[in-house]
Amino acid sequence: MTTAVDRFRTAVDDRDLAALDGLFTEDVRLYSPVKFTPFEGRPAVLGLFGVLLRTFEDFRYVGELRGVSQTSADGAEAPSAVLLFRATVGGKEIHGIDLLHLDEAGRIKEFTVMVRPRSAVQALGEAVLAGLVADGLVPAS
């Protein structure tokens, strides 16, 4: 059975932004290492992925863990996955994970990205901000 996680990996591997659209809930939240508040809603998250797919050099997933996680204060559990990746941004090698939480319908409702080392986070933040400004998704400061 192909899940949203499988389709997500394929879309990212193929750099196919259109294939990502139906994988997220309308109210998806993406927690980024380069922004304190989350990107909220499908349009904002898809806009971010448009920038990320252009920004990452030699992006590749190198591992995966699947399971369940507690998703609310009442202890309800939902499917989740951790995708390990490697990439380069601005000459800096990045090691990171994508943590995906799915809803009852199997769509991605929460997405957390963690990367290391700090110098790579800084390079990623600068590149993503430039891409978001260039795409008109955030104002130039």
Side-chain angles (χ1 to χ4, degrees):
M1 179 171 145
T2 302
T3 68
V5 174
D6 299 317
R7 292 190 310 275
F8 175 82
R9 282 189 67 162
T10 299
V12 171
D13 288 344
D14 294 345
R15 298 189 179 268
D16 184 355
L17 186 61
L20 293 173
D21 186 33
L23 301 179
F24 298 111
T25 61
E26 284 295 325
D27 61 348
V28 63
R29 287 180 154 202
L30 188 144
Y31 296 90
S32 165
V34 300
K35 185 174 178 273
F36 182 73
T37 58
F39 290 86
E40 296 187 75
R42 189 184 297 162
V45 169
L46 288 173
L48 174 62
F49 270 99
V51 171
L52 292 173
L53 292 176
R54 292 191 319 264
T55 300
F56 281 120
E57 303 160 29
D58 70 346
F59 184 94
R60 66 212 174 276
Y61 284 113
V62 296
E64 178 178 323
L65 304 166
R66 294 196 193 204
V68 295
S69 59
Q70 185 175 332
T71 59
S72 63
D74 67 0
E77 292 185 340
S80 61
V82 177
L83 305 175
L84 292 78
F85 67 85
R86 301 287 186 266
T88 306
V89 172
K92 302 286 185 184
E93 185 176 332
I94 294 177
H95 295 195
I97 64 168
D98 290 337
L99 174 58
L100 289 71
H101 295 282
L102 307 179
D103 71 357
E104 307 77 31
R107 292 171 299 165
I108 300 166
K109 70 176 184 176
E110 188 175 290
F111 195 111
T112 302
V113 181
M114 295 182 207
V115 299
R116 63 159 306 279
R118 189 174 99 197
S119 60
V121 174
Q122 185 174 354
L124 178 61
E126 292 168 1
V128 168
L129 178 59
L132 292 170
V133 169
D135 288 0
L137 299 171
V138 299
S141 45

